[in-house]
Amino acid sequence: AQKVTQAQTEISVVEKEDVTLDCVYETRDTTYYLFWYKQPPSGELVFLIRRNSFDEQNEISGRYSWNFQKSTSSFNFTITASQVVDSAVYFCALSNNAGNMLTFGGGTRLMVKP
Amino acid sequence: EAQVTQNPRYLITVTGKKLTVTCSQNMNHEYMSWYRQDPGLGLRQIYYSMNVEVTDKGDVPEGYKVSRKEKRNFPLILESPSPNQTSLYFCASSLRGRLATQYFGPGTRLTVL
């Protein structure tokens, strides 16, 4: 069975601070994909990134960056210079090798205060 | 516009009254799936479908049924809803099941009294 753990249930920061959201996963598959989704207060789920298990390069997209470390089974997400609009629940997710099961972590609620 | 739609968006019902939540996608995706979201538990997969007439159980299938008669539609059926099925439900689809990115509908908030 696969598992995703987001140990931080809630984080509060002040605008312009950097913040890192942790994600640790467990899987027996050698091929898998990791995802981050954002759920703003409006409730929809917004896809942010997909990373496959063979690509350990870090990725940066504007203020967002992701650090994938296979050795520690972690896929952490950093927001640089946070903004109020970043306030949301963020989910890390893991897809199994067959691609038919997507396992989510419990989510981290990020509150960015002005 | 490429999208996944769900109806209704909000529903309050009573225990035992059969209901159906519809899900439709206009992207010609083979793969569709249903999830429920509960506080602290993230999203948990209920059922998924790799293609027309092919459905399979996810992590929490008890109390739910699905069907996939057409590629674009994947309704979720609660034949006898119970209060523990009060939740936020999401439908998702992707171009192909294997490792593809899933795109989610807007969600259906269901309350069973």
Side-chain angles (χ1 to χ4, degrees), chain A residues 8-50:
Chain A
Q8 307 148 307
T9 54
E10 205 166 288
I11 300 175
S12 182
V13 299
V14 176
E15 208 170 17
K16 297 184 183 174
E17 283 185 20
D18 299 347
V19 58
T20 295
L21 310 183
D22 298 333
C23 173
V24 174
Y25 63 93
E26 297 174 27
T27 180
R28 292 182 192 156
D29 290 338
T30 54
T31 302
Y32 52 88
Y33 271 71
L34 293 159
F35 301 80
W36 276 94
Y37 284 87
K38 174 182 179 180
Q39 187 176 44
S42 50
E44 74 273 22
L45 283 160
V46 179
F47 164 76
L48 294 178
I49 190 171
R50 179 181 75 174

Side-chain angles (χ1 to χ4, degrees), chain A:
Chain A
Q2 51 187 42
K3 184 179 178 183
V4 177
T5 302
Q6 295 179 254
Q8 307 148 307
T9 54
E10 205 166 288
I11 300 175
S12 182
V13 299
V14 176
E15 208 170 17
K16 297 184 183 174
E17 283 185 20
D18 299 347
V19 58
T20 295
L21 310 183
D22 298 333
C23 173
V24 174
Y25 63 93
E26 297 174 27
T27 180
R28 292 182 192 156
D29 290 338
T30 54
T31 302
Y32 52 88
Y33 271 71
L34 293 159
F35 301 80
W36 276 94
Y37 284 87
K38 174 182 179 180
Q39 187 176 44
S42 50
E44 74 273 22
L45 283 160
V46 179
F47 164 76
L48 294 178
I49 190 171
R50 179 181 75 174
R51 175 51 52 92
N52 75 54
S53 53
F54 296 107
D55 182 2
E56 289 195 67
Q57 276 193 332
N58 291 332
E59 181 152 344
I60 299 175
S61 176
R63 297 184 296 108
Y64 295 171
S65 61
W66 290 269
N67 183 354
F68 176 34
Q69 297 216 344
K70 216 168 176 178
S71 59
T72 56
S73 297
S74 65
F75 186 44
N76 297 337
F77 172 33
T78 297
I79 302 175
T80 304
S82 60
Q83 299 176 2
V84 172
V85 293
D86 295 327
S87 297
V89 179
Y90 291 87
F91 291 100
C92 180
L94 167 69
S95 175
N96 66 344
N97 186 36
N100 55 4
M101 300 281 282
L102 189 60
T103 301
F104 282 80
T108 297
R109 181 178 299 277
L110 174 65
M111 291 177 290
V112 181
K113 299 177 181 177

Side-chain angles (χ1 to χ4, degrees), chain B residues 11-77:
Chain B
L11 179 60
I12 300 175
T13 189
V14 295
T15 298
K17 186 176 181 183
K18 180 179 178 179
L19 66 92
T20 299
V21 183
T22 64
C23 173
S24 183
Q25 49 91 7
N26 63 1
M27 297 169 279
N28 203 34
H29 285 172
E30 290 96 356
Y31 178 89
M32 298 185 74
S33 183
W34 276 103
Y35 298 85
R36 60 177 289 173
Q37 181 181 357
D38 302 290
L41 298 177
L43 281 79
R44 293 177 292 167
Q45 193 169 36
I46 302 170
Y47 269 95
Y48 64 91
S49 168
M50 298 294 281
N51 215 323
V52 176
E53 301 291 2
V54 180
T55 63
D56 213 339
K57 296 177 182 178
D59 294 322
V60 288
E62 295 77 21
Y64 304 94
K65 285 176 61 175
V66 293
S67 68
R68 186 93 182 273
K69 297 190 186 332
E70 307 167 277
K71 200 171 190 178
R72 63 183 291 128
N73 295 324
F74 190 44
L76 179 69
I77 303 156

